[in-house]
Amino acid sequence: MGHAWRVVMENVRQKVGADRTFKATSNARNEAMFKEATEFCTHLRVLERDLRSLHKEIDAKFTNLRNILSSPLPRAFEEGRDGAVPCTEEPKLIGQGVGVEILQQAANDLKARLDEDVIKPLRSWLIAYRAVCDRMEKLEAVRLELDSRRRTVDSLTEKVDRLEKTVPTPQQKDKHEQELEKMTQLLHHKRDKLTRTMHAYRELEQTVFNSLNTLIKDTGVLRDYTGLSLQILQECYQKAYSAFSTATPLLDYNSTSDSLFTHMPMMDNVPVRMVAPSERSRQQSDRLGARKDGMGLYAPASDDGGDAGQYGNDQQIQPQMAGYGDMQQPVAQY
């Protein structure tokens, strides 16, 4: 019995030693994978937060833009009997003819597409990550239980070894055999529990590994979601820009928008255009041309009450004429 038992115990020691090596190896593998997944999760949460913040910011900006476009333009006034009288009866809106409702729709579409096409997949990854976190916690609890059962088996093994090596007196032989049998049975019972716990640990460890492996492979597609968010943002601005395609000319105001949307459906690669002179600038040009003298520039300012009078001489008007009349310059597009 003693030799057979020693063989059994040696097998148990070898198995426990192998299981400890497996535990150390598997823990190191899972912990390394989980650490990097956690670091990546931090960046992912920042991305999700920025996307939500981006939508709120655009929504606020489009709201401000709608308010601006719904505001009246300032009017020119002239002296009347009772004081200043506007040249036009009704004020014109800055966004005359602009489809301001499209701005709100563009912001709504941005939120819907970001939520469905980008944020929802990102949150699915975060949900899977939280499931891995729960399994890691459970795995750690099983590991602690497994270590506790190992220590119990090791302690009982040492006691059985000591009893086997002890040579009892003839008076204590029966008691010694009873104690050895009792400790042996207890050791078998504890070893069975250790084996079941070890199998549960291995299964859970493999489940955690598979979950982490799948989670890590899924991180590759997140780059596509990041690029998609930029595409959605671009389409949002393009749709908002289309609201200006119905803009009507602002009579009596110098504006570049009369033919802007006819020739430029998109904002990309906007060409520089020359602005057609307004009626006011043509009148100023004709008046100045009529006052040219034979020596070159302009004659001294007259008292005709025109725009030149407020400057003292016509040469001072020249810098103010950029973009108007005969002195057209390229005008920056807005």
Side-chain angles (χ1 to χ4, degrees), residues 278-291 306-308 310 317 320-321 324-326:
S278 64
E279 182 64 26
R280 173 185 172 86
S281 62
R282 282 195 295 267
Q283 293 175 0
Q284 291 175 336
S285 177
D286 294 341
R287 186 167 61 250
L288 292 174
R291 294 211 305 264
D307 291 338
Q310 59 181 321
I317 299 178
Q320 310 295 328
M321 296 293 292
Y324 300 93
D326 296 334

Side-chain angles (χ1 to χ4, degrees), residues 107-147:
N108 293 339
D109 291 347
L110 172 67
K111 182 178 186 300
R113 291 198 60 192
L114 281 179
D115 285 341
E116 184 65 25
D117 299 341
V118 181
I119 295 179
K120 185 176 179 180
L122 297 186
R123 294 191 68 185
S124 297
W125 191 95
L126 291 173
I127 292 173
Y129 171 78
R130 284 194 291 269
V132 171
C133 290
D134 294 339
R135 288 172 180 164
M136 286 291 291
E137 291 180 1
K138 186 177 181 180
L139 182 64
E140 178 64 13
V142 176
R143 185 192 68 80
L144 294 175
E145 180 184 355
L146 183 60
D147 287 346

Side-chain angles (χ1 to χ4, degrees), residues 136-177:
M136 286 291 291
E137 291 180 1
K138 186 177 181 180
L139 182 64
E140 178 64 13
V142 176
R143 185 192 68 80
L144 294 175
E145 180 184 355
L146 183 60
D147 287 346
S148 175
R149 295 193 181 281
R150 280 200 185 99
R151 288 191 296 268
T152 300
V153 169
D154 290 344
S155 176
L156 290 174
T157 302
E158 292 176 0
K159 290 181 180 180
V160 171
D161 287 344
R162 284 197 304 269
L163 289 174
E164 287 181 341
K165 294 177 182 179
T166 301
V167 180
T169 62
Q171 295 83 1
Q172 296 180 341
K173 184 177 181 180
D174 293 339
K175 182 180 179 181
H176 179 269
E177 290 180 353

Side-chain angles (χ1 to χ4, degrees), residues 233-250:
L233 179 63
Q234 180 187 30
E235 292 175 1
C236 168
Y237 279 108
Q238 288 175 347
K239 184 171 184 177
Y241 177 71
S242 68
F244 292 81
S245 61
T246 57
T248 56
L250 298 173

Side-chain angles (χ1 to χ4, degrees), residues 61-309:
K61 289 183 180 298
F62 280 9
T63 299
N64 294 338
L65 184 57
R66 291 199 308 273
N67 294 336
I68 292 172
L69 294 174
S70 300
S71 300
L73 287 162
R75 293 176 293 175
F77 285 74
E78 58 186 6
E79 291 292 340
R81 293 181 178 180
D82 300 327
V85 178
C87 298
T88 57
E89 295 182 359
E90 296 295 333
K92 294 181 175 65
L93 298 181
I94 298 176
Q96 181 173 294
V98 175
V100 292
E101 68 283 352
I102 297 179
L103 300 177
Q104 182 60 51
Q105 185 61 44
N108 293 339
D109 291 347
L110 172 67
K111 182 178 186 300
R113 291 198 60 192
L114 281 179
D115 285 341
E116 184 65 25
D117 299 341
V118 181
I119 295 179
K120 185 176 179 180
L122 297 186
R123 294 191 68 185
S124 297
W125 191 95
L126 291 173
I127 292 173
Y129 171 78
R130 284 194 291 269
V132 171
C133 290
D134 294 339
R135 288 172 180 164
M136 286 291 291
E137 291 180 1
K138 186 177 181 180
L139 182 64
E140 178 64 13
V142 176
R143 185 192 68 80
L144 294 175
E145 180 184 355
L146 183 60
D147 287 346
S148 175
R149 295 193 181 281
R150 280 200 185 99
R151 288 191 296 268
T152 300
V153 169
D154 290 344
S155 176
L156 290 174
T157 302
E158 292 176 0
K159 290 181 180 180
V160 171
D161 287 344
R162 284 197 304 269
L163 289 174
E164 287 181 341
K165 294 177 182 179
T166 301
V167 180
T169 62
Q171 295 83 1
Q172 296 180 341
K173 184 177 181 180
D174 293 339
K175 182 180 179 181
H176 179 269
E177 290 180 353
Q178 290 177 0
E179 186 177 359
L180 179 58
E181 183 179 0
K182 179 182 178 180
M183 295 300 296
T184 302
Q185 292 177 353
L186 181 60
L187 178 59
H188 276 291
H189 176 68
K190 294 297 184 180
R191 187 185 64 183
D192 289 341
K193 283 191 173 182
L194 173 63
T195 301
R196 288 195 296 269
T197 305
M198 193 175 300
H199 289 329
Y201 177 85
R202 287 184 172 183
E203 290 178 1
L204 183 56
E205 185 277 336
Q206 188 62 38
T207 300
V208 171
F209 173 77
N210 293 338
S211 300
L212 278 169
N213 196 39
T214 302
L215 193 69
I216 289 171
K217 288 182 178 179
D218 286 345
T219 58
V221 299
L222 297 181
R223 180 185 65 180
D224 300 332
Y225 293 137
T226 305
L228 179 60
S229 65
L230 298 179
Q231 179 185 349
I232 294 173
L233 179 63
Q234 180 187 30
E235 292 175 1
C236 168
Y237 279 108
Q238 288 175 347
K239 184 171 184 177
Y241 177 71
S242 68
F244 292 81
S245 61
T246 57
T248 56
L250 298 173
L251 302 178
D252 300 329
Y253 290 88
N254 296 320
S255 172
T256 62
S257 63
D258 295 353
S259 59
L260 178 64
F261 299 95
T262 302
H263 301 291
M264 293 180 296
M266 301 301 297
M267 288 295 289
D268 299 334
N269 302 322
V270 177
V272 177
R273 302 185 303 109
M274 301 298 289
V275 180
S278 64
E279 182 64 26
R280 173 185 172 86
S281 62
R282 282 195 295 267
Q283 293 175 0
Q284 291 175 336
S285 177
D286 294 341
R287 186 167 61 250
L288 292 174
R291 294 211 305 264
K292 288 182 180 179
D293 59 12
M295 297 298 296
L297 235 43
Y298 301 113
S302 64
D303 295 330
D304 58 2
D307 291 338

Side-chain angles (χ1 to χ4, degrees), residues 8-26:
V8 171
M9 292 308 300
E10 184 61 27
N11 292 336
V12 170
R13 291 190 189 95
Q14 291 177 0
K15 184 176 181 181
V16 170
D19 289 333
R20 283 175 176 166
T21 303
F22 169 80
K23 175 185 74 68
T25 303
S26 60

